[in-house]
Amino acid sequence: MRPGRAAGGGKRAGRALLAVATALAYAAIPVPSASAAPPSSLQALTESGCYDPTQGNADYEAYGPTDVNVQAGAGKVTVGENRAGTITVFKYPNPSFYNQVKYFALSRDAAGRVSAQFPNEGSFAGIAYRTRAGRGFAWLRDWPSVQRYDSADTAVPVTTYRSPARLGLRLRVTDTDLAMPDGTFVRQLWVKRGRRSPVRGASLVYFENFNPVATRLQYLPIADWCLTQDSDQHAAYDPRARAVVHSWQGTDKASGAATSVAFAFGWDRADAGHQVGGDGRDPATQPSQPPDGFDQASRAPYRLGGDGSADGQATGTLSTRLRFDRRGRAAARLAIGSATNAAAAVHALGSARRTSFKRQMRTVARWWHDWLARTRLPASADRRVVAVAKRTLITVRLAMVPGTGAIVASADTQGPYGEDWIRDGAFINRLLDVNGFADAVTAHNLFYARVQTSADNPSPVRPPGNWTMASYGDGIDGAPIPFEIDETGLGIWALWDHDRFLAGRAASDYLGRVYPAIVRAADFLTQCQDPITGLQCSASEDDNYTPSQSLHGAETVWLGLKSALAAAHATGDKSPRVATWGARLARLDKAIAALYDPATHSYREGNAAGNAYNVDYGDGGWLLWPVEYRPFGDATMLGEAGAVRGALDSSLKGPHGEYEAKALLGLAHAWSHPTPDQAAKLESTLRYMARALTTSTGLFGEAWRRFAGGRPAPVEDMPHVWEHSLFYLAALEIDGSRPYWFQHGDLWRRACRSGTAPPRACR
């Protein structure tokens, strides 16, 4: 258990990971007994210490802050690094599960800087040096640094460190990181010793506090990052491979399958020292383990002890000597081989060592070029808008789970968003479809059809026709709320909306495969109604565990039923059930119309039960799009657009906010033929969001806060795939689109051409 942490957990903050039994107490619909909810999950939630509502705003970062500023990946491995280049997330074998690095962020200071639980968490490099005055050491993360991507067209982070002026060392270290499609991860470091530097010799030291694990909990996504005492079984130094190897084997509790995982760490040259020891900070470390290499490296005499193995919570440290050329340049490359067992991990490490960094860079660049070449960019003159749009496309690709079709909300674990929400996926699908990735959307929707509750896929916690709050990448329930009625409506829309991007036989074949899922969901929404008001029955909405009956649920049910009727027409289904859908839609339409308030010229929220994810107003803009409840020229929709605009302005001026892109996208559709004032508002908001609500590297979070001096900054799950997708779709709607264009050159090539990089790093 994490010390000093309260209980809780769930997507869109801690409210979602509360009592599953409460979430099952829906009125007027047949649901399974609350006793079907697994009590072990609730007990684990209570005892885990993963959730602290006193941290910041209880609506977000209650799991601890997200400490990610850049992302690398290429399918199997997805890596998040903080501003200082520390690996804080290492997902393998896919972005859904599992996080293999031990890193637990606790809090932010007034300036937004993150503090980790212990100083030896994560994975990072250091440098040992020798001068006339003696020996010294520094972890590079403690030096001033600048971080960016090697190119706007890849996911290759570059972090440049400079030794503090007070030390007088005149050293600069550049770290270029890339994930290979085969699952290996490479960190290429080159060091430049400045003229008149007092440094006579130096070594690079690499430290890793990996926590190999291959198990999950159904309904509760905390096993791989919070319950770390249950992972990291064994670590050993392999002298023949010159590598530290971490491994774990056991059973994935969520699937019941036997699983295993291993990682091999090694330099591309002979190492000068190693240490495998127990985690020197974690209370769960077994007694009598060798010392932690983190302490040995950072304390005089700065020598690694050479211990070769440790059990339980373990760390590994490797050093290698630098050889400076006449221009004061040196390079070394650290590779991490990932596999299901130790031997395969060592083999993967060997393959990475035998491949030149130049070839690795070319492989990654080609992988990204093949993905991006068919896509579209906003036809905007604003460079930042285009840069964030590019990062959005890359972010979506990194969220796709190989082999299953699932797409996660974020690869991060604080909060634990490595699951697929059909609410998010409906909009991510639209982004993929407008870029011509029809096969990817088809695979995604077939995943949804497969994991929907049905006679063939029964669930003990929800009725047929619904989806879990969120699914792991293999379809197992990954969150505690059994189902949410807005997701049921959006799920139908997602399955139907894709059909408009298909034609002929492809369209009919696709619709035939997903139409049974549409029928099941539409039947449920027809049954699930309030006999008094005509609204939908009370149920969970938008990741709130407390059942409610709001406009948010009503409009998505309306959209789902309308989509189901369109799908029935396309398939030629004239069965009596289709008529019942139409009758239910008509009654719901009248109920929504009754929510219109002439005094405010907008629609009332209804019984919203504390929903905080809608730009401080009602549905956050969804009634405008994708619902399109009335024609945009209708007086009620004009009033609704005005209310959404006011709420958007208020939110952006506030102390914190989230999902402003919902409102911007709705307004972009409502104002498709904008007045000069409307056009200016859309453009200025788009540009403001791209600049102010992203990291320096162009990543959106799910939420943002103002810090010292009034500066806004993203704070939760960077990059958040849905917020990125909403922004991207709004940008295309506002500015139109043009074919993707690639930048000329990148940082690595320029450094090689100019001689800044050592020749060893360029060959």
Side-chain angles (χ1 to χ4, degrees):
M1 177 175 175
R2 294 286 182 178
R5 305 290 286 174
K11 189 176 191 286
R12 312 294 195 281
R15 291 173 301 184
L17 283 186
L18 295 173
V20 174
T22 303
L24 284 166
Y26 301 128
I29 51 174
V31 297
S33 167
S35 62
S40 59
S41 293
L42 300 179
Q43 183 177 359
L45 174 59
T46 303
E47 298 178 350
S48 66
C50 302
Y51 171 60
D52 185 356
T54 67
Q55 291 294 328
N57 185 317
D59 287 335
Y60 47 81
E61 293 213 311
Y63 293 101
T66 302
D67 197 10
V68 173
N69 194 57
V70 289
Q71 192 178 45
K76 293 183 178 180
V77 167
T78 310
V79 176
E81 299 178 15
N82 66 13
R83 291 177 180 272
T86 296
I87 295 176
T88 62
V89 176
F90 193 102
K91 283 289 188 68
Y92 176 84
N94 60 61
S96 181
F97 51 87
Y98 315 85
N99 188 15
Q100 307 291 352
V101 69
K102 184 188 296 183
Y103 189 87
F104 194 85
L106 286 178
S107 61
R108 293 184 187 271
D109 63 16
R113 292 183 293 260
V114 174
S115 295
Q117 181 172 230
F118 299 123
N120 69 336
E121 294 188 327
S123 187
F124 43 86
I127 187 166
Y129 53 87
R130 177 173 52 84
T131 68
R132 284 187 177 182
R135 297 180 182 275
F137 178 83
W139 295 114
L140 295 177
R141 64 183 186 178
D142 297 328
W143 286 3
S145 60
V146 175
Q147 192 174 63
R148 47 190 170 173
Y149 286 101
D150 177 68
S151 165
D153 308 316
T154 61
V156 178
V158 178
T159 309
T160 302
Y161 308 88
R162 292 182 182 272
S163 57
R166 59 181 173 78
L167 296 180
L169 298 176
R170 299 178 181 272
L171 292 177
R172 184 176 71 245
V173 183
T174 300
D175 174 15
T176 303
D177 300 338
L178 64 157
M180 302 296 293
D182 65 359
T184 57
F185 186 71
V186 176
R187 310 195 77 166
Q188 172 71 64
L189 297 105
W190 66 70
V191 183
K192 180 68 170 66
R193 181 172 58 184
R195 298 175 63 182
R196 297 186 296 277
S197 169
V199 175
R200 295 186 169 186
S203 298
L204 285 174
V205 179
Y206 195 77
F207 173 79
E208 51 81 14
N209 194 342
F210 264 53
N211 212 73
V213 62
T215 188
R216 298 163 293 160
L217 296 175
Q218 191 176 21
Y219 308 113
L220 200 63
I222 65 172
D224 59 346
W225 64 278
C226 184
L227 306 181
T228 54
Q229 65 271 20
D230 296 331
S231 54
D232 198 9
Q233 295 169 342
H234 183 69
Y237 179 73
D238 184 334
R240 294 186 61 184
R242 309 188 316 275
V244 172
V245 184
H246 278 253
S247 59
W248 184 97
Q249 61 180 349
T251 300
D252 186 334
K253 294 178 181 178
S255 67
T259 53
S260 61
V261 69
F263 301 91
F265 304 79
W267 294 103
D268 63 346
R269 58 175 69 186
D271 52 76
H274 69 268
Q275 175 66 14
V276 179
D279 185 328
R281 301 296 193 278
D282 195 328
T285 299
Q286 296 180 19
S288 303
Q289 296 302 307
D292 192 334
F294 174 85
D295 297 322
Q296 293 181 335
S298 53
R299 298 173 184 169
Y302 314 114
R303 292 194 182 96
L304 300 179
D307 289 300
S309 68
D311 293 312
Q313 302 301 294
T315 67
T317 316
L318 289 166
S319 67
T320 189
R321 293 187 181 89
L322 293 172
R323 297 178 178 85
F324 291 98
D325 64 16
R326 294 180 179 179
R327 296 179 59 179
R329 303 170 300 182
R333 184 169 40 131
L334 187 286
I336 304 173
S338 310
T340 57
N341 59 73
V346 169
H347 178 77
L349 172 63
S351 297
R353 283 168 164 164
R354 291 189 295 272
T355 306
S356 70
F357 186 66
K358 180 178 182 178
R359 178 174 294 181
Q360 290 171 334
M361 286 289 283
R362 285 181 172 176
T363 297
V364 169
R366 183 166 55 251
W367 194 85
W368 282 111
H369 185 280
D370 291 346
W371 162 257
L372 294 169
R374 65 196 298 181
T375 63
R376 311 286 297 181
L377 290 173
S380 173
D382 189 280
R383 292 184 178 181
R384 182 64 176 182
V385 169
V386 174
V388 174
K390 284 189 169 188
R391 196 52 50 188
T392 294
L393 292 166
I394 291 171
T395 292
V396 171
R397 179 62 185 89
L398 290 179
M400 299 171 72
V401 179
T404 72
I407 303 175
V408 301
S410 176
D412 297 329
T413 50
Q414 286 186 273
Y417 283 13
E419 295 82 47
D420 187 316
W421 274 256
I422 198 168
R423 179 191 302 113
D424 302 32
F427 294 84
I428 298 168
N429 277 358
R430 176 58 77 95
L431 177 149
L432 290 168
D433 263 329
V434 299
N435 283 291
F437 293 108
D439 289 347
V441 178
T442 295
H444 197 197
N445 283 349
L446 291 177
F447 169 81
Y448 285 145
R450 185 169 67 252
V451 304
Q452 184 195 47
T453 301
S454 65
D456 294 330
N457 184 43
S459 169
V461 297
R462 72 182 151 271
N466 292 278
W467 289 270
T468 178
M469 172 188 179
S471 300
Y472 287 117
D474 58 358
I476 293 174
D477 287 18
I481 297 178
F483 74 95
E484 302 177 274
I485 199 163
D486 60 309
E487 288 203 300
T488 307
L490 287 171
I492 299 176
W493 175 61
L495 298 180
W496 164 245
D497 186 61
H498 179 47
D499 186 74
R500 74 173 62 192
F501 295 92
L502 303 173
R505 182 67 177 271
S508 59
D509 287 350
Y510 160 77
L511 196 55
R513 298 176 73 180
V514 300
Y515 188 64
I518 292 175
V519 169
R520 288 189 291 268
D523 283 347
F524 174 82
L525 294 181
T526 298
Q527 175 193 13
C528 181
Q529 60 177 300
D530 186 325
I532 298 174
T533 66
L535 290 170
Q536 75 283 3
C537 62
S538 182
S540 281
E541 301 175 337
D542 209 5
D543 291 357
N544 281 296
Y545 72 94
T546 302
S548 58
Q549 191 182 57
S550 75
L551 175 62
H552 182 87
E555 65 188 349
T556 46
V557 170
W558 188 95
L559 176 62
L561 289 170
K562 186 177 180 181
S563 300
L565 289 168
H569 178 75
T571 59
D573 183 0
K574 298 180 181 179
S575 63
R577 72 195 321 157
V578 176
T580 66
W581 301 347
R584 173 67 191 117
L585 177 62
R587 189 161 188 261
L588 179 60
D589 188 274
K590 292 180 180 179
I592 295 175
L595 293 176
Y596 185 74
D597 186 350
T600 61
H601 305 288
S602 61
Y603 289 82
R604 296 188 302 273
E605 292 185 45
N607 174 18
N611 194 307
Y613 307 124
N614 291 317
V615 201
D616 295 328
Y617 167 71
D619 72 335
W622 281 6
L623 207 61
L624 303 176
W625 194 88
V627 176
E628 296 187 52
Y629 177 61
R630 294 287 186 265
F632 291 132
D634 186 277
T636 64
M637 297 299 278
L638 293 174
E640 182 73 6
V644 171
R645 174 178 180 168
L648 176 60
D649 290 342
S650 176
S651 184
L652 292 175
K653 292 176 182 177
H656 54 78
E658 54 191 342
Y659 288 120
E660 286 80 8
K662 280 185 182 179
L664 182 62
L665 179 55
L667 290 173
H669 279 271
W671 297 342
S672 57
H673 302 288
T675 66
D677 172 67
Q678 291 169 346
K681 181 61 182 176
L682 293 173
E683 284 287 354
S684 64
T685 303
L686 187 70
R687 296 182 181 191
Y688 175 81
M689 291 181 65
R691 284 172 169 77
L693 303 188
T694 59
T695 64
S696 60
T697 54
L699 303 184
F700 278 107
E702 184 183 34
W704 59 271
R705 288 175 54 193
R706 292 193 188 277
F707 293 96
R711 175 184 60 86
V715 293
E716 185 175 50
D717 284 278
M718 295 78 71
H720 189 269
V721 184
W722 189 18
E723 185 70 0
H724 266 283
S725 298
L726 294 168
F727 171 87
Y728 176 92
L729 292 171
L732 263 59
E733 193 68 23
I734 293 167
D735 291 326
S737 70
R738 54 165 293 183
Y740 193 98
W741 54 271
F742 292 86
Q743 73 175 49
H744 298 291
D746 51 56
L747 296 179
W748 172 73
R749 292 178 189 275
R750 290 200 296 270
C752 288
R753 285 197 297 265
S754 67
T756 303
R760 181 185 180 91
C762 302
R763 291 195 294 266

